[in-house]
Amino acid sequence: MTNLDKQRGEVCEYFRSLQDRICAGLADADGKADFREDSWARPGGGGGRSRVLIDGGVFEKAGVNFSEVFGQMSPEFARQLPGEGLDFCATGISLVLHPRNPMAPTVHANFRHITKGDKSW
């Protein structure tokens, strides 16, 4: 196992754990609804967990999603990114939070970690 493989595994585990902690905190703050989870697989490699809370006390709708996808990118796209070759791995979480209160801000956020060849960012 290379250092990059080890790093990728640690990042994936961190994002899975972060998804768990965020969902637990939001469900606790909401007080009425809990998250429903759907697991999915990507035909080209990888998959993820989508979690959605609907019709809560605080949140009209909230989504906290984890994904880890991998495979090969097109040569045209690969030339635009650092690192050698076509192989990539991308992992991260995304948040979309819509509170019931129209005066409270909506949240949309994405946190990603990408590797291609010997580069990661």
Side-chain angles (χ1 to χ4, degrees):
M1 176 182 288
T2 68
N3 284 340
L4 195 55
D5 292 333
K6 183 175 184 275
Q7 179 188 46
R8 240 189 341 251
E10 289 171 351
V11 169
C12 281
E13 185 51 42
Y14 175 78
F15 280 138
R16 280 188 195 98
S17 173
L18 183 59
Q19 181 193 34
D20 292 342
R21 294 190 314 269
I22 290 171
C23 288
L26 291 173
D28 187 52
D30 186 83
K32 179 181 173 189
D34 208 348
F35 283 87
R36 184 192 78 224
E37 179 178 299
D38 293 311
S39 295
W40 55 272
R42 177 178 172 265
R49 305 184 303 198
S50 298
R51 293 184 179 167
V52 178
L53 179 151
I54 298 173
D55 198 25
V58 173
F59 298 101
E60 181 180 341
K61 192 170 186 180
V64 182
N65 304 308
F66 164 81
S67 63
E68 178 189 21
V69 298
F70 49 86
Q72 287 198 331
M73 57 184 68
S74 71
E76 297 79 21
F77 186 60
R79 283 193 288 274
Q80 299 175 43
L81 300 175
E84 296 298 319
L86 303 177
D87 293 338
F88 78 94
C89 181
T91 188
I93 62 168
S94 63
L95 309 171
V96 180
L97 310 177
H98 292 267
R100 288 193 169 282
N101 182 340
M103 303 303 282
T106 297
V107 173
H108 291 215
N110 293 292
F111 305 94
R112 303 280 180 242
H113 181 263
I114 302 169
T115 60
K116 178 179 167 262
D118 62 347
K119 303 291 184 189
S120 67
W121 62 98

